[in-house]
């Protein structure tokens, strides 16, 4: 990646408020964002844009975010993209299921701003210059 190039995060989220929150935070910290509400479209966007990180809502209307993550991880062209799972259903067993699906990170909603940003920075290799 060229020096000074912004990193891109694909946000897969069907809730408009969460989408805005995630994208506003990422933008404020110097990341470019791609937005997607549709799980099947997320796989296509990942292939086309190869983002530095995918933030994946687990509870999507058409297909589970875990299934989408499996599809991304099964695809040779996208398997190396880290996936950060976010879900409102935070049970003890959820993190294990998320990890088994291939996600590199897991956060419960409502997100805590500091832990969200530090996890994004960790998974993308550092903070962006705004």
């Amino acid at each position: 990646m060229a020096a000074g190039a912004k990193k891109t995060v694909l946000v897969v989220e069907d809730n408009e408020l969460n989408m805005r929150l995630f994208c506003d935070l990422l933008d404020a910290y110097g990341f470019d964002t791609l937005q997607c509400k549709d799980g099947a479209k997320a796989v296509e966007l990942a292939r086309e844009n190869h983002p530095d990180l995918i933030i994946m809502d687990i509870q999507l209307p058409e297909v589970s975010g875990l299934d989408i993550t499996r599809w991304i991880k099964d695809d040779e062209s996208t398997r190396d993209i880290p996936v950060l799972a976010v879900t409102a259903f935070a049970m003890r067993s959820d993190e294990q299921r998320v990890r088994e699906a291939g996600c590199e990170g897991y956060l419960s909603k409502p997100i805590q701003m500091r832990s969200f940003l530090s996890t994004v920075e960790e998974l993308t290799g550092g903070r962006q210059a705004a």
Side-chain angles (χ1 to χ4, degrees), residues 39-94:
K41 180 79 172 157
V43 176
E44 184 181 320
L45 284 171
R47 283 185 191 126
E48 290 173 2
N49 297 281
H50 211 274
D52 298 286
L53 174 66
I54 299 170
I55 295 176
M56 182 71 67
D57 181 15
I58 297 306
Q59 300 295 323
L60 294 168
E62 300 294 320
V63 62
S64 163
L66 294 180
D67 286 336
I68 299 164
T69 299
R70 287 184 193 99
W71 298 339
I72 288 168
K73 295 301 182 176
D74 286 343
D75 186 321
E76 192 173 310
S77 68
T78 57
R79 71 173 43 138
D80 62 326
I81 302 170
V83 178
L84 171 59
V86 289
T87 183
F89 300 100
M91 303 298 266
R92 221 180 259 177
S93 62
D94 286 342

Side-chain angles (χ1 to χ4, degrees), residues 25-40:
L25 281 170
L26 292 164
D27 182 56
Y29 279 78
F31 292 92
D32 283 333
T33 57
L34 299 168
Q35 300 178 21
C36 181
K37 296 178 183 179
D38 176 324

